[in-house]
Amino acid sequence: MANRLSKIYTRTGDSGTTGLGDGTRVAKSDLRVEAMGDVDELNAVLGILLVETLPEDVRDSLLAIQHDLFDLGGELCMPGHTFMQAGRVAFLEMTLDTWNEALTPLKEFILPGGSRAAAVCHLARTVCRRAERVLHALHAQAPVTPVALQYLNRLSDLLFVLCRTLNRHAGVPDVLWNNQHKL
């Protein structure tokens, strides 16, 4: 990074616009900015998850995912530039398959919860799904790379499996949905 930010506020956004990495200005309500914000929020929730006590392989994977999400944010910030590589989707699939092998097959839907780490991971999963929806909406207006779309889809699947993995690691059962529950 050649230029470091030495001045944090610029006042250029006071009128409701923000600058993209290529120098263009867009409305802060633009879908591209919303997608960037959702990816950033997802990265922040993963940062909260990383504060928890986690298995080392989970910690390493989440840190790699945080770097990927920063790359995805860069790709969104600089239209026409590609930072995400297909190998990162393959990494998610391999990791997901590895973690899923150790889990018992699901016979019921599960509710967010169990251990604290799993609950935070469920929050990350829902933010990831929102980011994916916004990215698809953006894609309808201004094409984004197929890898970016695939990455968020795979990541939300991985986060679901990770929620279950974290509960298993903590010795806490998943919270099963009871469709017979009556108030």
Side-chain angles (χ1 to χ4, degrees), residues 95-101 103 121 125 156-166:
T95 305
L96 193 157
D97 290 343
T98 299
W99 291 343
N100 198 44
E101 281 178 13
L103 299 173
C121 192
R125 177 186 55 79
S156 62
D157 293 338
L158 178 137
L159 291 171
F160 177 78
V161 168
L162 180 55
C163 294
R164 297 191 65 220
T165 299
L166 293 172

Side-chain angles (χ1 to χ4, degrees), residues 80-153:
H81 287 77
T82 301
F83 299 112
M84 297 294 297
Q85 301 299 315
R88 300 314 299 157
V89 174
F91 163 76
L92 293 178
E93 291 173 349
M94 180 190 69
T95 305
L96 193 157
D97 290 343
T98 299
W99 291 343
N100 198 44
E101 281 178 13
L103 299 173
T104 58
L106 272 178
K107 296 178 183 172
E108 301 287 338
F109 290 108
I110 64 170
L111 300 177
S115 67
R116 179 179 163 79
V120 173
C121 192
H122 275 291
L123 177 60
R125 177 186 55 79
T126 64
V127 173
C128 186
R129 286 286 190 211
R130 177 173 16 101
E132 181 186 8
R133 289 189 304 271
V134 172
L135 198 60
H136 274 280
L138 173 61
H139 182 63
Q141 290 182 358
V144 297
T145 65
V147 171
L149 297 168
Q150 293 165 358
Y151 188 88
L152 288 180
N153 184 268

Side-chain angles (χ1 to χ4, degrees), residues 2 12 15-16 23 29 41 49 54 56 68 70 75 81 109 111 114 116-117 122 130 141 147 156 162 167 171 179:
T12 58
S15 65
S29 59
E41 182 182 351
L49 180 54
L54 303 171
E56 199 60 34
D68 291 343
F70 204 85
E75 196 169 290
H81 287 77
F109 290 108
L111 300 177
R116 179 179 163 79
H122 275 291
R130 177 173 16 101
Q141 290 182 358
V147 171
S156 62
L162 180 55
N167 276 339
N179 65 355

